[in-house]
Amino acid sequence: MSDPIDADDDAAPQRQGIQSVELAMQVVRALEEGRGPRTLSQLAQACGMSTSKVHRYLVSLIRSGLVSQSQRTGLYDFGPAARRVGIEALRRVDEVALATEYLPSLRDRTTHSVNLAVWGDNGPVLVHWEYGEHALPMNIRIGSTLPLLDSSVGQVFLAYLPEAMTRSAIVDAASAGESAVAAMAHAERIRATVRERRASVTSGSVMAGLAAVAAPVFAEGSLPLAVSVALPARLADDEAVAAIERELHVTTAEITAALGATTDGHIPVTRRG
């Protein structure tokens, strides 16, 4: 037996929604647009609501896990349920699902940890991780945003994304006292180096004792993904890095081809038999 309410809604020009849900989503959007934890008053101002009204919605959002509140600072931020939803949404992107199928083989051939990143609102975001044989001096969290200028995947996105997409992140990443002009010049030097090599190699820049090699994955007209191999810095001598880079280029070229794109011929790819 059909629900009479649903039948009425289907007949209406526009389905009736639930206003309280839409208002709650205003609070969620205000949190997202803040690019970081926010106070109650900041959220209220962004939503155009009273603090008491926003607080009621925050109570329910916290109970659902979509929002959390720091016991130390009292600031509000996304909760674990929001992170899980965001990660799952990214995982369902076709490029991510396809690329992850190639990562276990790369891990096995190099013996090192392999990760996959996409470009998020504020920089490269880790969406997949394959652990290798060697312990790393850091705890990796899926959903983490990595530094644009210091991480290998960040440098790959910096090199190949349009400058308009990375300019604000470059300025945000500038060191204390560094001007926007100096930050852009520093970014341009990184961009040139990565494009010439078609890869980024970093060591100790994100965390002491950690090295990484990253390379881009292309789709028609875009750079959707970056793949990185992470290893202890003590193992990252020139010979090891060169071997990792070769395997990484094979894998990223295979993923690029599977996405229907081609490399520009700068990468010597020897396909495995």
Side-chain angles (χ1 to χ4, degrees):
M1 181 176 179
S2 62
D3 189 326
I5 296 178
D6 287 344
D8 290 343
D9 285 348
D10 289 337
Q14 182 175 355
R15 293 181 65 90
Q16 184 178 3
I18 301 174
Q19 186 180 28
S20 60
V21 174
E22 295 173 1
L23 291 173
M25 289 309 299
Q26 286 189 31
V27 178
V28 173
R29 283 194 296 272
L31 192 59
E32 182 264 329
E33 291 168 359
R35 300 182 65 179
R38 308 193 82 176
T39 64
L40 175 59
S41 59
Q42 287 172 332
L43 291 171
Q45 183 177 5
C47 294
M49 303 181 197
S50 67
T51 55
S52 59
K53 186 173 184 179
V54 170
H55 184 263
R56 291 196 297 272
Y57 283 109
L58 286 170
V59 169
S60 294
L61 290 168
I62 290 172
R63 288 174 179 170
S64 70
L66 291 173
V67 172
S68 63
Q69 184 181 22
S70 170
Q71 294 183 357
R72 182 176 62 86
T73 65
L75 297 177
Y76 295 92
D77 204 348
F78 287 116
R83 289 191 290 270
R84 289 194 297 270
V85 170
I87 292 165
E88 180 62 16
L90 290 171
R91 189 191 66 80
R92 295 187 186 188
V93 175
D94 289 345
E95 291 92 342
V96 173
L98 184 150
T100 55
E101 297 179 6
Y102 291 81
L103 301 189
S105 175
L106 178 60
R107 174 203 59 200
D108 293 343
R109 296 189 329 263
T110 63
T111 74
H112 298 300
S113 297
V114 176
N115 63 69
L116 182 69
V118 302
W119 182 255
D121 290 339
N122 303 314
V125 179
L126 285 180
V127 293
H128 190 82
W129 187 272
E130 295 284 343
Y131 288 96
E133 294 182 4
H134 306 280
L136 297 176
M138 66 184 300
N139 293 321
I140 302 299
R141 291 178 55 187
I142 301 300
S144 297
T145 298
L146 296 177
L148 179 66
L149 300 180
D150 294 331
S151 69
S152 59
V153 292
Q155 292 183 0
V156 166
F157 282 110
L158 171 66
Y160 292 102
L161 285 179
E163 186 178 322
M165 295 180 63
T166 60
R167 185 180 295 110
S168 62
I170 292 169
V171 174
D172 290 344
S175 59
E178 185 178 19
S179 68
V181 172
M184 295 300 293
H186 177 50
E188 185 56 39
R189 290 191 292 271
I190 294 173
R191 185 180 290 114
T193 299
V194 174
R195 284 182 175 177
E196 180 180 0
R197 189 170 186 166
R198 198 63 179 274
S200 170
V201 179
T202 59
S203 182
S205 53
V206 173
M207 179 169 287
L210 179 70
V213 185
V217 171
F218 296 99
E220 288 298 336
S222 68
L223 173 79
L225 306 167
V227 179
S228 174
V229 177
L231 66 156
R234 59 184 172 79
L235 301 178
D237 57 35
D238 291 345
E239 183 178 355
V241 168
I244 290 171
E245 199 168 342
R246 287 193 296 270
E247 294 294 346
L248 182 61
H249 281 156
V250 169
T251 296
T252 53
E254 289 177 339
I255 299 171
T256 294
L259 291 173
T262 59
T263 64
D264 61 8
H266 292 170
I267 302 176
V269 177
T270 303
R271 295 184 65 87
R272 300 183 303 280

